[in-house]
Amino acid sequence: MEIRKNFLNIFVAFINIFLSLPFTYLGLTKYDMKETKAYWQPPGYVFGIVWPILYTIFGVINLRFIYGKNIDSILRLMIIDQSIKEALIQTLWLTVTSNFGNGRTLIQHSLGLIILAYLVYYSHMVRLPTFKKYDKISYYLYIPYSLWIIFAFILNSQIVYKLIL
């Protein structure tokens, strides 16, 4: 029973990695040479470095709350609930903005922009204040993601702008 519980805890802690694996494995997040790119779009390998690092940091943050000795069970559930919601929103973003073989469209990028706007809101108005209040280390660990998601929003905005022109 303990092994099952630990496996479930690891799965929940690193849920972002597990949910993003099919998109990465199938190459759905890669940009084709013919697709519209943002003005500030870094080379593709940068995303392949940054996202796994951020997802690993999420796992570390979640493990701090799952296995923390002085963590109230209500707080633990709140943090894990927030983490799962954020992971599902990110997965929705991946689903909406993935290239399923015929290039991405304006509607995909526009919907992706709306989802990213919500992720920016969620990270800055829900997650960061929660971490700041309850765990300073998690707060500082989460800052790179909160900045990266703003950058992703800017990139997506640039693509929508270019497609509208």
Side-chain angles (χ1 to χ4, degrees):
M1 191 63 151
E2 189 67 28
I3 292 173
R4 199 156 122 199
K5 181 181 176 189
N6 284 332
F7 177 77
L8 181 62
N9 285 342
I10 296 298
F11 178 78
V12 168
F14 293 92
I15 192 166
N16 296 80
I17 291 173
F18 295 116
L19 291 176
S20 69
L21 279 175
F23 296 92
T24 305
Y25 179 75
L26 296 172
L28 299 174
T29 59
K30 290 185 179 180
Y31 270 79
D32 189 298
M33 295 299 284
K34 295 174 268 176
E35 288 188 86
T36 303
K37 293 186 176 92
Y39 296 113
W40 302 346
Q41 186 142 346
Y45 69 85
V46 172
F47 299 101
I49 294 169
V50 172
W51 281 112
I53 290 170
L54 293 174
Y55 288 163
T56 301
I57 291 171
F58 287 165
V60 169
I61 291 169
N62 289 336
L63 289 174
R64 290 179 57 77
F65 284 93
I66 290 171
Y67 290 109
K69 299 280 187 231
N70 299 323
I71 306 295
D72 175 83
S73 62
I74 293 171
L75 175 61
R76 178 178 287 116
L77 287 174
M78 181 182 75
I79 295 297
I80 296 307
D81 181 62
Q82 287 179 359
S83 181
I84 291 170
K85 284 178 185 173
E86 187 172 53
L88 291 173
I89 296 165
Q90 288 173 354
T91 304
L92 176 63
W93 175 59
L94 284 172
T95 303
V96 165
T97 61
S98 284
N99 182 351
F100 293 101
N102 52 353
R104 292 169 178 88
T105 64
L106 174 59
I107 193 76
Q108 281 179 280
H109 288 294
S110 299
L111 290 172
L113 188 61
I114 293 167
I115 295 166
L116 278 172
Y118 183 74
L119 276 172
V120 169
Y121 163 81
Y122 197 75
S123 71
H124 287 83
M125 302 306 287
V126 176
R127 300 285 275 165
L128 271 175
T130 301
F131 292 141
K132 189 172 186 176
K133 181 175 181 180
Y134 295 109
D135 184 42
K136 295 286 192 241
I137 293 173
S138 295
Y139 171 77
Y140 290 115
L141 287 171
Y142 191 79
I143 287 174
Y145 168 76
S146 66
L147 297 174
W148 182 257
I149 207 71
I150 289 171
F151 182 62
F153 178 82
I154 292 168
L155 293 178
N156 203 145
S157 299
Q158 291 174 348
I159 293 170
V160 169
Y161 175 78
K162 285 173 104 176
L163 288 171
I164 289 174
L165 287 183

